[in-house]
Amino acid sequence: MNSCTERTIGIGLAVVLSCSLWLGGCGSGNESPVDDRGLSIRVTEPVQRDFDKIKEDGVLRMITRYSSNTYFLHQGIEWGFEYELVSRFAREHDLALEVVITGINESPYDLLNSGKGDLIAANYAATPERQRYVDFTRPYNLVDQVLVYSSELDNPPQTIEELAQSGLSVTVRSNSSYFHRMQDLKEEGVDIDVNLVPNEKDTESLLFDVSQGKYEVTVADDNIFQAAFSYMDGLVQGPTIAEKDTIAWAVRNNAPELKKELNNYLEGHFQLREDKEPKRSLFLQVLRKRYFEGGRRLANYYSPNPSIGESDGISPYDDLIKSVADSAGINWLMVTSVVAQETKFNPRAKSWAGAMGLMQVMPQYSEVSDTTLLYNEEINVREGVRILKRHLDHYSYMDSTNQWSFSLAAYNVGEGHLADARRLAIDQNKNPNEWEPVADALLKLMHRSYYRKARHGFCRGIETVRYVREVKNRYEIYRNVLTMRQLELNQSSPGVLGFF
């Protein structure tokens, strides 16, 4: 629980699994049949949303997959190569970052062109098929496509031609660049049998299935294969079927300013030398080492199989938070998001203003006489939940969305500054019980013409507005990822009840 002048932790995040999964379809744009090259496209006319609108909203929406090389959760904290690379761009432009995860039978291109997201960052190759519907930034990586065999195969084919004659099926997604390459090979006279799987299967999941002998052959980018090979047994690398695919971010083809800003950013991290070899920034080298060369440590962060993994929950404190939150009658995932926002689950954290422990409880608001006990995880969570519950009760006459927004704001900035903002909203003939006008008033309280008339003076309202957005967005991450994993488990293990 921070004072008004404290800085919040991290970048705002939200995860939306997909329009089709949650809303029954995107429902915007023009309808069109499935593309003849395997892309399922419904929204062909992009909405008008360029960088000026993104800056105005203060939010950049990143479309991606849930995987170890794109975006995933580890102990309640967000990780992933694509996530970290986009996050840095968002921070440099003072933007909150929302993460939109594609769901079952969902097209990332539909999400992009319908305005549900602003860029696709998912290790995508800039193929001609995709460029029919979206534009691409400059590259930030070059990769080779390689065949990957199950180690259970005896004498796997050593050439593409041998594979075509072997009768083996290559398992890929229909919307992948690997499928496009299979079609190109067929046009070149090399007809390989292809087994198409649902598009929600990412490359890492398919590699895992191949390692378990479920499929005989798949295709992967060489960097993804090397990362998986370091912690998956049962994989054998085959011949290269495509060289130096350019990996880039996809944007709407009517968003030239966003593309320009992204290109300027990527140029500082990835360039091609005269010999066509890549030159990477230190930051990009660190990310590559972390996510593609990290060895078996990566398996501690992410498993493509929902039945295995080090942790069956969101954070290291799930049982404690569930118990305390359930006793108080409030949502445990929202409390978990508060803890992640405040301290990233560090029980020894202490702010410059004196806030202590997991939930950054201010001693003056605590009922604990011995303040050193606020470093005790259970005591701290109970005190934090008690304070949060008090705010929720105070705003209980509001609908649940506004109730949580106001309660989180009060937890962050205090009731005094929030009351100033509500009075200012009234002065401007706006509803003081709606979060949006009050959030706008909080931002105004950073300017002297407004805060000099306020009872509690200056408030760095931008931090409180971000705090509320970030906590609520992270809650959506937790809720949707739990649901996604449950769906995956039900698909892989029919009849199994519950994952967490």
Side-chain angles (χ1 to χ4, degrees):
M1 182 170 58
N2 300 319
S3 72
C4 178
T5 54
E6 283 188 77
R7 293 196 62 81
T8 55
I9 301 171
I11 279 186
L13 289 162
V15 166
V16 179
L17 279 183
S18 75
C19 297
S20 62
L21 181 59
W22 296 107
L23 305 176
C26 289
S28 63
N30 296 333
E31 298 287 327
S32 70
V34 174
D35 183 273
D36 60 3
R37 295 283 283 177
L39 297 178
S40 177
I41 304 293
R42 292 182 175 86
V43 183
T44 57
E45 294 294 330
V47 300
Q48 294 293 329
R49 179 176 162 85
D50 205 347
F51 195 63
D52 57 344
K53 180 60 175 175
I54 292 170
K55 287 289 288 183
E56 179 184 336
D57 293 346
V59 179
L60 178 71
R61 301 184 180 99
M62 161 188 162
I63 302 165
T64 193
R65 289 182 173 274
Y66 192 85
S67 72
S68 70
N69 54 47
T70 53
Y71 171 86
F72 63 99
L73 295 175
H74 174 59
Q75 296 191 337
I77 305 301
E78 301 83 15
W79 299 85
F81 177 90
E82 299 285 358
Y83 161 68
E84 291 206 47
L85 190 57
V86 178
S87 291
R88 183 158 177 158
F89 172 83
R91 283 195 299 271
E92 290 181 3
H93 290 274
D94 199 27
L95 295 169
L97 178 63
E98 293 185 2
V99 179
V100 180
I101 294 180
T102 53
I104 296 173
N105 296 324
E106 185 58 65
S107 164
Y109 315 103
D110 287 345
L111 290 173
L112 180 66
N113 285 328
S114 66
K116 301 296 190 299
D118 298 311
L119 77 159
I120 302 173
N123 197 70
Y124 269 23
T127 65
E129 292 81 7
R130 290 166 174 166
Q131 289 173 329
R132 293 169 62 181
Y133 303 103
V134 298
D135 199 0
F136 279 91
T137 64
R138 61 180 293 127
Y140 57 92
N141 200 9
L142 297 178
V143 299
D144 296 340
Q145 293 184 23
V146 297
L147 292 169
V148 182
Y149 300 119
S150 167
S151 62
E152 295 181 4
L153 289 176
D154 293 328
N155 301 316
Q158 299 301 304
T159 66
I160 302 173
E161 291 73 19
E162 288 181 13
L163 175 63
Q165 297 170 6
S166 69
L168 296 173
S169 293
V170 178
T171 300
V172 293
R173 304 185 311 274
S174 64
N175 71 351
S176 66
S177 59
Y178 313 136
F179 176 57
H180 301 156
R181 180 56 181 150
M182 292 291 106
Q183 291 181 303
D184 290 340
L185 287 172
K186 184 175 182 179
E187 292 174 2
E188 295 168 11
V190 184
D191 192 359
I192 297 173
D193 185 57
V194 176
N195 173 41
L196 294 180
V197 294
N199 286 324
E200 67 266 20
K201 276 282 195 181
D202 62 28
T203 303
E204 195 165 11
S205 296
L206 286 176
L207 287 171
F208 182 82
D209 289 342
V210 170
S211 75
Q212 300 297 299
K214 182 177 180 179
Y215 301 121
E216 301 164 320
V217 193
T218 191
V219 184
D221 292 342
D222 57 351
N223 58 342
I224 297 177
F225 169 76
Q226 290 301 327
F229 183 75
S230 65
Y231 69 90
M232 289 185 197
D233 297 325
L235 298 176
V236 176
Q237 182 174 347
T240 298
I241 63 172
E243 295 183 345
K244 296 190 181 302
D245 280 351
T246 58
I247 303 300
W249 291 334
V251 297
R252 285 179 289 274
N253 57 26
N254 62 349
E257 291 303 314
L258 174 59
K259 178 181 176 180
K260 177 182 176 182
E261 294 293 338
L262 292 172
N263 280 343
N264 290 340
Y265 169 73
L266 292 173
E267 186 177 14
H269 295 288
F270 184 90
Q271 298 178 14
L272 292 178
R273 300 191 301 234
E274 291 184 1
D275 59 1
K276 302 301 182 180
E277 288 301 310
K279 178 182 179 182
R280 298 180 175 89
S281 69
L282 178 60
F283 173 65
L284 198 56
Q285 290 177 24
V286 169
L287 291 187
R288 281 170 54 82
K289 184 173 182 61
R290 179 177 299 158
Y291 293 105
F292 297 112
E293 303 169 13
R296 289 189 173 268
R297 289 178 299 170
L298 190 62
N300 297 332
Y301 295 156
Y302 171 83
S303 169
N305 184 346
S307 66
I308 63 175
E310 283 197 341
S311 172
D312 282 344
I314 290 293
S315 80
Y317 297 99
D318 280 3
D319 290 341
L320 171 60
I321 294 173
K322 281 181 183 178
S323 174
V324 175
D326 287 350
S327 296
I330 65 177
N331 190 296
W332 77 274
L333 284 178
M334 192 69 85
V335 176
T336 305
S337 182
V338 170
V339 178
Q341 184 71 19
E342 294 285 354
T343 62
K344 294 188 177 180
F345 305 99
N346 177 8
R348 303 302 298 175
K350 184 174 182 178
S351 76
W352 64 267
M356 302 171 65
L358 283 170
M359 295 189 70
Q360 290 291 274
V361 175
M362 297 290 287
Q364 60 265 40
Y365 301 126
S366 172
E367 294 181 351
V368 176
S369 56
D370 182 359
T371 58
T372 61
L373 292 176
L374 290 176
Y375 288 120
N376 177 281
E377 290 94 330
E378 181 176 356
I379 292 173
N380 188 280
V381 171
R382 290 192 182 280
E383 284 297 284
V385 167
R386 180 186 61 80
I387 295 168
L388 190 56
K389 179 65 162 57
R390 187 188 71 203
H391 293 313
L392 287 165
D393 290 343
H394 182 73
Y395 300 109
S396 60
Y397 57 89
M398 299 179 178
D399 63 73
S400 60
T401 299
N402 283 307
Q403 181 188 17
W404 269 108
S405 296
F406 279 86
S407 299
L408 292 170
Y411 191 88
N412 174 258
V413 78
E415 293 178 345
H417 288 296
L418 191 55
D420 282 345
R422 298 184 75 191
R423 282 189 288 269
L424 179 55
I426 293 173
D427 291 343
Q428 297 180 329
N429 296 317
K430 296 178 180 178
N431 190 343
N433 296 329
E434 293 286 339
W435 173 243
E436 290 304 320
V438 174
D440 181 66
L442 281 168
L443 298 177
K444 286 183 169 63
L445 288 175
M446 298 173 63
H447 302 285
R448 187 175 185 278
S449 60
Y450 292 101
Y451 72 70
R452 66 184 177 86
K453 301 176 184 178
R455 295 179 185 179
H456 296 85
F458 171 83
C459 177
R460 192 172 294 171
I462 190 172
E463 295 187 356
T464 301
V465 173
R466 283 188 173 183
Y467 181 91
V468 172
R469 176 192 290 154
E470 291 168 6
V471 172
K472 292 176 70 176
N473 289 347
R474 188 174 286 105
Y475 161 76
E476 291 297 324
I477 290 174
Y478 296 160
R479 183 177 67 87
N480 291 340
V481 168
L482 290 185
T483 302
M484 180 179 65
R485 289 180 176 176
Q486 180 67 67
L487 290 171
E488 290 174 347
L489 182 64
N490 290 344
Q491 289 178 350
S492 60
S493 304
V496 177
L497 297 177
F499 178 53
F500 294 100

